[in-house]
Amino acid sequence: MSRQTVLTMNIINFINRFPDESSCIEFVRQKRSQAGIVCKRCNCTRHYWLANKKAFQCTSCSFRTSIRSGTVMENSNLPIRTWLLAMTFITATKKGFSASELQRQLGMKRYEPVFRMYHKLRKVMGKRDDLYSLEDMVEYDEAFVGKATKKPHKLKRGRGSQKRSTVAVMAESTVLEDLETGKSDKSCRYFKMKKIKNLEAKTAQRLVKEFIDPNSVLQTDMNTTFSDLSNCIDVHVKEISGTEKGHFNLKRAHIAISNLKKHLQTYHMISERMMQNYLDEFCYKLNRRYFGQNLFDRLIIAAIYPYWHDCG
């Protein structure tokens, strides 16, 4: 099935499901009610709906939370239906959408609102994945991906090149053995990718502490970046990357890196400042690669979750 066919089918389903702005507001209201509203004034979770105000009112302090407040759509002047349509296109395929292509599909005249909306959605994808830690057996490696840069008089080569962003890649993998042949393979559940400034050991230590369960088995190569992780992880397995064993230990991380580089070719001139947003979108879709059409509803949940409450 072609990408265009998938988009056509999704847009037909969208029109039937959300014929107007009112139906979109009611859909978001139901989803927010199911997820739970948290009052920004008193943290109370008991609210009732004011239909004429399109807002939730706290039963404790009477503070009102608008339908957009605390969601990815807060402070946006775009109709909620436009947001839902954008999410439909973004989740329609595993591949990425450029902002200019999304603008064309939405039929919007200006590029900037679409660009900002898309990056807000990418950010909530990252925030959603950051709620979870990797566990059991975890592969960790680094990648160097292309980015936009102002051309200086002299460009560096190799790891220090101004044309490359450094990315930490973590993959939660499990070893599987074929009972008939005795051959081992790996399956992978979840991934995390984080843009990093350097390859220093303290950078790897911070990421391991923040995103990987300390009772896990961590697999890396022999790079000095991973020289001292004894205080961060239960078991640390190191192998030379060029060997067969080293390649197997980092198999899923290497495949993810290869797919990431292909994915980023969809876009042009990715800045260093925005790179993490593109990584978040790639991992969010990769971690939910078997969700199919349910990915839209999962993104809705990510878009309305009160992340400010967890950070408070």
Side-chain angles (χ1 to χ4, degrees), residues 169-181:
V169 178
M170 293 161 275
E172 183 184 290
S173 62
T174 303
V175 178
L176 303 175
E177 183 176 345
D178 190 315
L179 296 178
E180 295 183 359
T181 63

Side-chain angles (χ1 to χ4, degrees), residues 29-295:
R29 184 195 71 79
Q30 292 177 4
K31 290 294 184 181
R32 295 204 67 182
S33 296
Q34 293 170 7
I37 312 297
V38 181
C39 178
K40 287 188 175 182
R41 178 182 290 174
C42 68
N43 285 336
C44 177
T45 57
R46 297 188 303 275
H47 292 74
Y48 56 88
W49 175 247
L50 299 175
N52 59 331
K53 299 293 184 180
K54 295 182 175 59
F56 299 93
Q57 183 157 311
C58 177
T59 60
S60 177
C61 68
S62 298
F63 182 81
R64 291 178 182 177
T65 301
S66 71
I67 191 68
R68 297 172 183 259
S69 179
T71 74
V72 71
M73 298 174 284
E74 187 170 7
N75 300 323
S76 172
N77 293 323
L78 294 174
I80 292 179
R81 193 167 188 259
T82 299
W83 280 91
L84 297 188
L85 182 55
M87 294 183 207
T88 297
F89 284 124
I90 292 170
T91 58
T93 65
K94 294 180 181 180
K95 297 181 180 179
F97 253 92
S98 66
S100 58
E101 175 64 15
L102 184 59
Q103 177 193 7
R104 188 178 73 83
Q105 294 289 346
L106 293 174
M108 296 181 64
K109 293 182 179 180
R110 297 181 61 237
Y111 174 80
E112 289 77 11
V114 179
F115 180 81
R116 289 196 297 270
M117 174 173 58
Y118 203 164
H119 277 289
K120 284 183 179 180
L121 289 171
R122 288 178 173 131
K123 284 183 179 179
V124 297
M125 291 179 188
K127 288 180 179 178
R128 189 66 183 178
D129 275 354
D130 282 348
L131 295 176
Y132 311 108
S133 297
L134 301 181
E135 55 188 19
D136 296 331
M137 300 184 70
V138 181
E139 304 173 18
Y140 186 131
D141 202 4
E142 291 116 356
F144 303 93
V145 298
K147 67 174 182 179
T149 182
K150 295 180 180 179
K151 291 186 178 180
H153 296 295
K154 186 176 181 180
L155 285 172
K156 297 180 182 178
R157 294 184 178 182
R159 291 191 169 190
S161 173
Q162 299 94 326
K163 290 184 176 182
R164 297 285 183 268
S165 278
T166 309
V167 178
V169 178
M170 293 161 275
E172 183 184 290
S173 62
T174 303
V175 178
L176 303 175
E177 183 176 345
D178 190 315
L179 296 178
E180 295 183 359
T181 63
K183 293 184 178 180
S184 297
D185 199 357
K186 277 193 169 187
S187 67
C188 194
R189 295 199 302 169
Y190 305 120
F191 296 83
K192 287 185 183 293
M193 296 185 179
K194 298 295 175 181
K195 181 177 70 67
I196 54 178
K197 293 182 179 180
N198 54 59
L199 296 174
E200 296 178 1
K202 62 181 180 181
T203 300
Q205 292 169 7
R206 176 181 60 82
L207 291 176
V208 170
K209 288 180 179 178
E210 187 173 357
F211 298 114
I212 300 177
D213 186 285
N215 298 315
S216 303
V217 176
L218 183 67
Q219 302 173 90
T220 70
D221 58 24
M222 298 291 289
N223 195 301
T224 54
T225 301
F226 312 113
S227 59
D228 186 15
L229 295 174
S230 57
N231 295 327
C232 308
I233 205 76
D234 187 27
V235 178
H236 183 196
V237 178
K238 294 185 287 184
E239 293 286 347
I240 299 175
S241 59
T243 64
E244 182 177 351
K245 183 66 174 178
H247 175 71
F248 180 80
N249 282 355
L250 297 175
K251 179 178 181 179
R252 289 299 170 181
H254 290 167
I255 292 174
I257 291 170
S258 177
N259 291 337
L260 171 66
K261 291 180 178 179
K262 293 178 182 178
H263 171 81
L264 294 181
Q265 292 175 2
T266 303
Y267 312 103
H268 302 284
M269 306 297 288
I270 300 176
S271 67
E272 179 79 10
R273 184 170 65 90
M274 295 294 187
M275 178 61 74
Q276 186 59 54
N277 294 348
Y278 291 94
L279 299 176
D280 289 340
E281 180 188 14
F282 177 77
C283 283
Y284 185 86
K285 289 185 175 182
L286 185 59
N287 290 338
R288 295 158 183 81
R289 52 196 177 277
Y290 304 120
F291 280 44
Q293 294 186 350
N294 291 329
L295 186 57

